[in-house]
């Protein structure tokens, strides 16, 4: 009897234990269903120490797949994974951390998430090592500590199997800004190259800009073209928060800004770089002259809404460079840029209206466009207003206004306006007396700033030299002071433009 009772107690205890651990399937899977029976079999394997079964069962409890969700059972089974032969399984710890951070069936708890992430990171999980680096860098529920951020990033960046590129990029960002380390552009470029060679696009973009400006690497425009061309197709990558800060040193990245803002800012900066390459190919600066490649780069920048690139495409259609001449296409691109307030495009629309190219000829419409651009201190528009007041086209003829607008443009270094003033003073036109000294000054200026052909420039120089012969030594000495004053005004104008471009 005693043995029989003991046997019954043992059987009962086994049954109770089995009932206590038996997985409770979702209502749609009855106990005799194939799915529920599979879950029961998996639980038995998990009880016997099968890592794969433990991981699957833990994940299913976390996600509510086949079984009723239960975060405590999820933790129980996931924590068991790997413990039979080592400390634990890094990926399972990451999964627990992830569910505490984002899971629908766990109580959301950032501190618990970080605790499990740290367990995974200490076992060598690269992804969670980078997560801890981010948390320390931004003070995200951990005390902000750039040294610890760098320490975790270095651990995450160490593998040579193609992973770790994101952490390598972030170390590069830290060197670029002197975060936790002395600012060192060479180190920044070195880390960026490691990530770029693993096809990590933000690092490729950084290298392109580094070669563009010669920061940490020798300035090399061909290398810049290469890396930017590699990185731009995938540059729309939200989530890489430090990306914007690489380009605007005065405004470090703020993690509280939206991904949309970072994406928009990164696009804006890259559009500017793309536009510059278009300019270089168009003019043959730094790179071989190639209108087809210029148009290709302009289109990339224009597709991101950059007004200067849209205007440049308009110019190419207007002049038939790299494309067949097409006034309607030119008009379309000019209008896109003009709607954004670009003074150059507004001036080009004015010229098209004045000459009836692609639109009905209208001097009044031309003047309207010129005025919009002239209000922005755009020299070419100011010059065109000077021409209009000189000839009475679109506005009543007015010598005083003509001189005013010519002078505004000339003092910005616009050579056609300087030549116009030289001619006016040389011949006593526009209601002013003849003045060879002023004529000489303006022709001399025009000879320096003109972008015309060699023959046209020689003609300006010849006129300047002719006028020089008419001046006394005293008068010639006086021209030097006036010349210096005008140069200072032009330099101030250029400085203001450069400052505005940087702010833009």
């Amino acid at each position: 009897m005693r043995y029989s009772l003991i046997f019954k107690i043992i059987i009962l205890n086994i049954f109770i234990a089995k009932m206590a651990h038996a997985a409770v399937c979702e209502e749609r899977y009855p106990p005799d269903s194939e799915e529920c029976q599979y879950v029961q079999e998996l639980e038995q394997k998990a009880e016997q120490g099968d890592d794969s079964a433990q991981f699957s069962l833990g994940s299913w409890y976390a996600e509510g797949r086949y079984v009723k969700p239960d975060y405590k059972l999820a933790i129980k089974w996931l924590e068991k994974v790997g413990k039979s032969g080592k400390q634990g399984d890094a990926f399972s710890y990451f999964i627990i951390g992830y569910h505490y951070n984002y899971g629908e069936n766990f109580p959301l708890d950032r501190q618990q998430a970080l605790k499990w992430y740290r367990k995974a990171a200490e076992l060598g999980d690269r992804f969670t090592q980078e997560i801890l680096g981010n948390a320390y860098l931004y003070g995200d529920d951990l005390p902000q500590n750039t040294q610890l951020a760098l320490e975790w990033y270095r651990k995450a960046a160490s593998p040579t199997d193609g992973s770790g590129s994101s952490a390598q990029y972030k170390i590069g960002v830290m060197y670029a800004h002197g975060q936790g380390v002395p600012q060192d552009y060479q180190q920044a470029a070195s880390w960026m190259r490691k990530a770029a060679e693993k096809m990590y696009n933000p690092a490729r973009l950084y290298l392109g800009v580094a070669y563009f400006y010669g920061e940490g690497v020798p300035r090399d425009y061909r290398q810049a073209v290469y890396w930017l061309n590699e990185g731009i197709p995938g540059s729309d990558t939200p989530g890489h928060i430090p990306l914007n800060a690489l380009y605007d040193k005065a405004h470090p990245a703020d993690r509280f800004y939206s991904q949309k803002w970072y994406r928009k800012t990164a696009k804006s900066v890259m559009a500017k770089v793309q536009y510059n390459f278009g300019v270089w190919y168009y003019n043959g600066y730094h790179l071989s002259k190639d209108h087809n490649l210029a148009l290709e780069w302009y289109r990339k920048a224009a597709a991101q809404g950059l007004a200067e690139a849209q205007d440049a495409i308009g110019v190419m259609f207007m002049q038939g460079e790299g494309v067949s001449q097409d006034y309607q296409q030119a008009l379309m691109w000019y209008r896109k840029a003009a709607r954004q307030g670009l003074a150059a495009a507004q001036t080009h629309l004015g010229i098209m209206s004045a000459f009836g190219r692609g639109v009905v000829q209208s001097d009044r419409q031309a003047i309207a466009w010129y005025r919009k651009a002239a209000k922005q201190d755009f020299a070419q528009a100011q010059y065109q207003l000077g021409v209009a007041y000189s000839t009475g086209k679109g506005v009543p003829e007015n010598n005083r206004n003509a001189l005013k607008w010519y002078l505004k443009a000339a003092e910005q270094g616009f050579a056609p306006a300087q030549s116009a003033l030289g001619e006016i003073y040389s011949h006593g036109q526009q209601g002013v007396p003849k003045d060879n000294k002023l004529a000489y000054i303006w022709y001399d200026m025009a000879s320096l700033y003109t972008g015309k052909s060699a023959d046209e420039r020689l003609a300006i120089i010849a006129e300047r030299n002719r006028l020089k012969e008419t001046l006394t030594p005293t008068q010639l000495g006086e021209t030097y002071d006036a010349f210096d004053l005008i140069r200072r005004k032009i330099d101030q104008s250029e400085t203001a433009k450069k400052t505005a471009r940087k702010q833009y």
Side-chain angles (χ1 to χ4, degrees):
M1 281 290 292
R2 182 182 299 175
Y3 292 113
S4 177
L5 180 60
I6 293 172
F7 179 74
K8 288 180 179 179
I9 291 171
I10 292 172
I11 295 297
L12 181 61
N13 285 337
I14 292 172
F15 178 75
I16 291 171
K18 189 170 183 181
M19 288 293 293
H21 294 96
V24 180
C25 298
E26 281 189 281
E27 291 181 3
R28 57 177 172 163
Y29 301 122
D32 60 348
S33 67
E34 185 179 341
E35 290 83 359
C36 195
Q37 288 179 8
Y38 178 68
V39 170
Q40 301 292 347
E41 291 172 7
L42 194 72
E43 187 178 40
Q44 290 178 17
K45 290 181 180 179
E47 290 281 11
Q48 294 166 10
D50 186 306
D51 286 352
S52 177
Q54 290 168 343
F55 181 83
S56 295
L57 199 60
S59 297
W60 291 353
Y61 274 116
E63 298 167 10
R65 188 192 310 174
Y66 302 127
V67 294
K68 289 184 178 180
D70 188 322
Y71 80 92
K72 291 181 179 179
L73 284 175
I75 294 172
K76 169 193 168 182
W77 290 115
L78 287 169
E79 194 175 9
K80 284 180 178 291
V81 177
K83 283 197 172 179
S84 58
K86 53 182 179 179
Q87 292 176 292
D89 183 82
F91 187 64
S92 295
Y93 291 161
F94 160 72
I95 292 295
I96 296 173
Y98 175 86
H99 283 292
Y100 267 119
N101 217 16
Y102 306 106
E104 295 180 3
N105 303 314
F106 271 56
L108 297 182
D109 188 327
R110 176 67 174 168
Q111 290 299 326
Q112 283 291 322
L114 288 170
K115 182 188 86 170
W116 289 99
Y117 285 155
R118 186 179 294 276
K119 283 176 177 279
E122 288 170 349
L123 291 177
D125 183 74
R126 309 297 179 190
F127 189 73
T128 47
Q129 288 169 345
E130 188 172 339
I131 288 174
L132 287 176
N134 293 340
Y136 278 116
L137 182 64
Y138 299 121
D140 187 2
D141 288 304
L142 284 175
Q144 189 170 29
N145 188 320
T146 53
Q147 290 295 329
L148 286 175
L150 187 64
E151 181 181 322
W152 283 111
Y153 284 151
R154 286 189 186 279
K155 289 179 179 180
S158 60
T160 58
D161 59 358
S163 61
S165 57
S166 178
Q168 290 166 345
Y169 167 78
K170 289 172 183 175
I171 294 172
V173 171
M174 294 184 77
Y175 273 109
H177 294 290
Q179 294 175 293
V181 289
Q183 188 177 54
D184 188 329
Y185 289 124
Q186 288 185 339
Q187 280 289 332
S190 174
W191 281 103
M192 291 298 180
R193 184 177 294 280
K194 292 178 182 181
E197 289 173 349
K198 294 175 182 175
M199 298 185 288
Y200 190 67
N201 284 316
R204 288 168 158 182
L205 296 179
Y206 176 90
L207 270 186
V209 175
Y211 277 113
F212 182 98
Y213 291 113
E215 282 190 344
V217 291
R219 179 174 284 183
D220 186 328
Y221 297 107
R222 292 188 182 278
Q223 283 288 323
V225 169
Y226 172 77
W227 285 113
L228 287 168
N229 194 49
E230 290 292 303
I232 284 167
S235 62
D236 187 6
T237 52
H240 301 294
I241 290 178
L243 180 60
N244 172 63
L246 293 171
Y247 305 103
D248 189 352
K249 306 298 188 294
H251 303 284
D254 183 338
R255 72 182 183 88
F256 294 105
Y257 284 14
S258 67
Q259 290 180 354
K260 180 179 179 182
W261 183 86
Y262 282 109
R263 191 159 62 248
K264 181 179 178 182
T265 306
K267 275 188 173 184
S268 173
V269 174
M270 290 316 306
K272 283 284 188 180
V273 176
Q274 291 165 336
Y275 168 72
N276 283 336
F277 285 125
V279 172
W280 294 346
Y281 276 120
Y282 182 86
N283 294 295
Y285 299 154
H286 311 302
L287 303 167
S288 56
K289 192 170 186 177
D290 189 322
H291 284 167
N292 289 325
L293 284 174
L295 184 63
E296 180 180 331
W297 282 100
Y298 284 151
R299 286 191 184 279
K300 288 179 180 181
Q304 297 183 62
L306 188 69
E308 292 93 332
Q310 294 166 345
D311 179 67
I313 295 172
V315 170
M316 296 189 78
F317 275 108
M318 187 73 185
Q319 299 178 359
E321 296 172 321
V323 288
S324 300
Q325 190 175 53
D326 189 328
Y327 290 155
Q328 290 302 316
Q329 281 289 317
L331 193 67
M332 179 192 76
W333 285 105
Y334 286 153
R335 282 174 173 164
K336 283 178 181 283
R339 280 197 291 268
Q340 296 191 63
L342 188 71
Q346 293 168 344
T347 305
H348 290 146
L349 286 173
I351 293 170
M352 292 189 79
S353 293
F355 291 94
R357 292 173 180 167
V359 292
V360 176
Q361 195 279 333
S362 172
D363 290 326
R364 286 191 176 184
Q365 187 62 47
I367 294 298
W369 283 114
Y370 294 152
R371 288 195 188 282
K372 285 178 182 288
K375 284 180 180 178
Q376 299 183 61
D377 214 25
F378 190 66
Q380 188 180 4
Q382 293 169 337
Y383 168 73
Q384 293 294 347
L385 283 175
V387 173
Y389 278 112
S390 293
T391 59
K393 287 188 175 181
V395 289
E397 187 172 336
N398 187 312
N399 292 333
R400 185 175 179 179
N401 280 342
L403 283 172
K404 179 187 79 171
W405 288 111
Y406 281 144
L407 188 61
K408 283 179 178 290
E411 288 181 343
Q412 290 193 69
F414 194 67
Q418 293 167 342
S419 293
L421 287 174
E423 185 175 355
I424 287 169
Y425 284 111
S426 177
H427 300 286
Q429 300 170 346
Q430 301 294 316
V432 298
K434 183 177 179 179
D435 188 329
N436 283 358
K437 186 171 72 172
L438 283 175
Y440 168 77
I441 290 169
W442 286 115
Y443 271 124
D444 197 14
M445 280 288 172
S447 71
L448 294 176
Y449 288 97
T450 186
K452 294 185 176 181
S453 67
D455 288 343
E456 290 172 308
R457 186 171 183 275
L458 287 173
I460 292 171
I461 292 172
E463 186 63 12
R464 179 201 66 183
N465 292 341
R466 183 190 69 78
L467 289 163
K468 184 178 182 179
E469 294 298 321
T470 68
L471 302 178
T472 66
T474 301
Q475 289 175 320
L476 198 59
E478 291 170 350
T479 65
Y480 297 142
D481 292 335
F483 190 87
D484 288 340
L485 179 62
I486 296 168
R487 283 295 296 268
R488 281 198 293 272
K489 287 183 178 181
I490 292 172
D491 290 342
Q492 288 170 358
S493 173
E494 284 300 311
T495 300
K497 287 177 184 177
K498 287 177 182 177
T499 301
R501 282 196 290 269
K502 287 181 181 178
Q503 289 173 344
Y504 179 84

